[in-house]
Amino acid sequence: MTTVTQLRKAALALPEAEEGSRSGRAAFSVRGKGFASVTKDGRVRLHLPPDETEAAVAAHPTGERLVRAGAPAGFVVPLADVDGKDLNALVRAAWFSRAPKRLAASLAAAEAAAGAPGGDLPAGIGRPATQALCGAGLTTLEQVARHSRAELLALHGVGPKAVRVLAEALERRGLALPG
């Protein structure tokens, strides 16, 4: 069972995702295009392409196709009927379907770089921080050392723990974060 809090966390972890309100309920968009929202009866609406909608309908028997003006628009399912892992995947798919192509490609490239050899970022910073740093073009500790703590914390996905782990790794190499 998931909650609006889990939905919020999944949605806002994505680049340029913003939270708004729709009929007094949480709604999430990327550059003005809605990709997920909550209905008053506790269901989550996700804007998905037709193939992903069909997969979601097959995987979640309590879900259904979302149709607007006679055209397929996505998937709707009670939040209580989706586990956290599935919700994260659905929210991510909805974000990718509504994000501008360049922004979506940038995230995909950052994720690929995060798993690629050549970088020396410590694994202890976590995947969101690694993706955020790679997305900003920072794949080595030497590159990270050129940025202040405030600049690193401004990257969505990089939190205080990640900055602490980075600072410790830099200290072991005789480097330090400015500021």
Side-chain angles (χ1 to χ4, degrees):
M1 179 175 142
T2 57
T3 64
V4 174
T5 302
Q6 173 69 29
L7 172 64
R8 180 175 289 114
K9 183 177 177 183
L12 295 178
L14 296 162
E16 298 189 32
E18 296 180 341
E19 182 173 0
S21 175
R22 185 177 203 176
S23 302
R25 303 288 176 186
F28 302 92
S29 63
V30 55
R31 292 197 185 166
K33 288 183 149 187
F35 64 91
S37 63
V38 179
T39 66
K40 64 183 176 184
D41 60 350
R43 299 185 319 156
V44 61
R45 287 183 180 174
L46 300 152
H47 292 271
L48 295 171
D51 58 330
E52 300 215 25
T53 297
E54 294 309 313
V57 168
H60 302 282
T62 59
E64 57 191 58
R65 290 168 195 81
L66 178 62
V67 178
R68 289 217 174 119
F75 178 66
V76 61
V77 64
L79 266 172
D81 294 350
V82 181
D83 70 26
K85 184 178 176 182
D86 286 347
L87 180 66
N88 290 346
L90 289 167
V91 168
R92 181 179 168 74
W95 181 90
F96 267 100
S97 77
R98 302 290 280 178
K101 287 184 186 347
R102 285 187 181 171
L103 182 59
S106 173
L107 176 60
E111 290 174 344
D120 64 352
L121 299 175
I125 65 173
R127 186 172 182 204
T130 301
Q131 290 173 348
L133 290 169
C134 290
L138 307 175
T139 59
T140 66
L141 285 172
E142 186 176 297
Q143 292 168 330
V144 169
R146 297 182 199 132
H147 297 273
S148 71
R149 290 174 191 269
E151 289 172 325
L152 296 174
L153 287 168
L155 296 172
H156 187 77
V158 179
K161 178 187 173 195
V163 171
R164 180 182 49 78
V165 171
L166 288 166
E168 290 169 358
L170 287 167
E171 281 180 35
R172 287 191 292 275
R173 294 207 180 166
L175 299 169
L177 286 175

